[in-house]
Amino acid sequence: MAIRIRRGIRDDAAFLGWVMLAASRGHVPLGVWDVMIGRDEAGCLDYLKHLAVAEPRSLCHYESYLVAEVDGRPAAALCGFATRDGGWIAVGEASASVQRDLKITAKDLAEAERRSSPIWSCFMPDAGDWGVENVATLPEYRRRGLVDALMSRMLDEGRKRGCRCAQITILIGNDPAQKAYEKAGFKVSDERRNSDFETLLGSPGFRRLTRDL
């Protein structure tokens, strides 16, 4: 099994769309992107494929990702970003570009905002200056150490950029992910819960883990 870790490229857009959708779901059937986009799986994947190449460049842009290839096939990925560079605000700006390209109507956007209100109630301000998000591996390549290798490389990148504290956010109850990140040196920092969030997604809220770099 030949493994190569590389920077994301434009041709990865469809794969990274899957990564974002899978990561947002974690251990539950439907995740944050399902709710916010409000389309079927194919529609969500199409939206996120566009987001992976959208301007302005955000943490969802393909250049923010490291990709693990196995025998030449993208198998796992995660993104890293300096929170000072805009973080989720930049994602919102890139999403507005996608919405224009896909001709999403003002009515659709208003409905998405209504659906998503419990999600924003659990949103947490940044606690670190280096963020890691959107971590996912294709099912057939799990338990091969791909995320461990990607995480190590991405944390090194944060150090090289002068960052001192890394953060990652999970859905409360995603115990396998939490154990994997604790193995990488992260510790639970804080969390936010909301009953409407739990009704919507089947998880009580978001939990954040941090570690020194």
Side-chain angles (χ1 to χ4, degrees):
M1 182 178 71
I3 299 174
R4 180 169 78 104
I5 294 177
R6 59 167 175 79
R7 178 63 54 187
I9 60 175
R10 190 178 186 89
D11 287 348
D12 293 321
F15 172 66
L16 296 176
W18 175 86
V19 166
M20 286 185 264
L21 189 60
S24 78
R25 290 173 175 175
H27 66 298
V28 297
L30 298 178
V32 169
W33 283 117
D34 293 282
V35 174
M36 293 177 64
I37 298 170
R39 298 185 172 187
D40 62 13
E41 180 138 344
C44 289
L45 291 171
D46 183 56
Y47 183 106
L48 294 170
K49 178 180 71 174
H50 281 78
L51 185 60
V53 300
E55 299 288 346
R57 297 184 183 187
S58 70
L59 65 93
C60 295
H61 191 272
Y62 64 84
E63 289 187 346
S64 298
Y65 284 84
L66 290 178
V67 176
E69 284 186 346
V70 177
D71 298 330
R73 181 191 180 192
L78 53 73
C79 71
F81 58 100
T83 56
R84 62 178 176 267
D85 292 341
W88 290 102
I89 294 174
V91 175
E93 294 170 351
S95 294
S97 176
V98 173
Q99 290 154 7
R100 288 192 297 271
D101 290 344
L102 297 182
K103 296 180 172 55
I104 295 174
T105 68
K107 181 180 178 181
D108 291 335
L109 292 175
E111 178 60 21
E113 184 174 353
R114 184 197 63 77
R115 286 194 309 270
S116 304
S117 59
I119 294 170
W120 299 120
S121 71
C122 288
F123 192 79
M124 294 178 285
D126 292 321
D129 51 3
W130 186 247
V132 180
E133 291 292 345
N134 295 337
V135 184
T137 305
L138 290 173
E140 60 266 40
Y141 294 108
R142 291 172 185 165
R143 298 180 180 83
R144 301 193 190 189
L146 299 181
V147 167
D148 291 344
L150 287 166
M151 184 68 76
S152 178
R153 186 79 65 87
M154 191 59 84
L155 294 178
D156 281 343
E157 185 172 317
R159 293 185 193 99
K160 290 175 182 176
R161 294 187 60 176
C163 297
R164 295 188 173 186
C165 179
Q167 65 176 32
I168 191 165
T169 302
I170 62 172
L171 290 170
I172 296 171
N174 190 350
D175 296 334
Q178 181 169 329
K179 289 177 182 178
Y181 303 146
E182 288 174 337
K183 180 181 175 183
F186 287 87
K187 295 181 180 180
V188 174
S189 169
D190 55 345
E191 63 181 40
R192 282 193 178 175
R193 296 171 178 252
N194 180 282
S195 59
D196 291 333
F197 186 104
E198 186 165 18
T199 299
L200 185 66
L201 291 178
S203 166
F206 289 127
R207 176 173 291 154
R208 178 164 47 200
L209 296 87
T210 60
R211 59 154 291 169
D212 294 335
L213 291 175

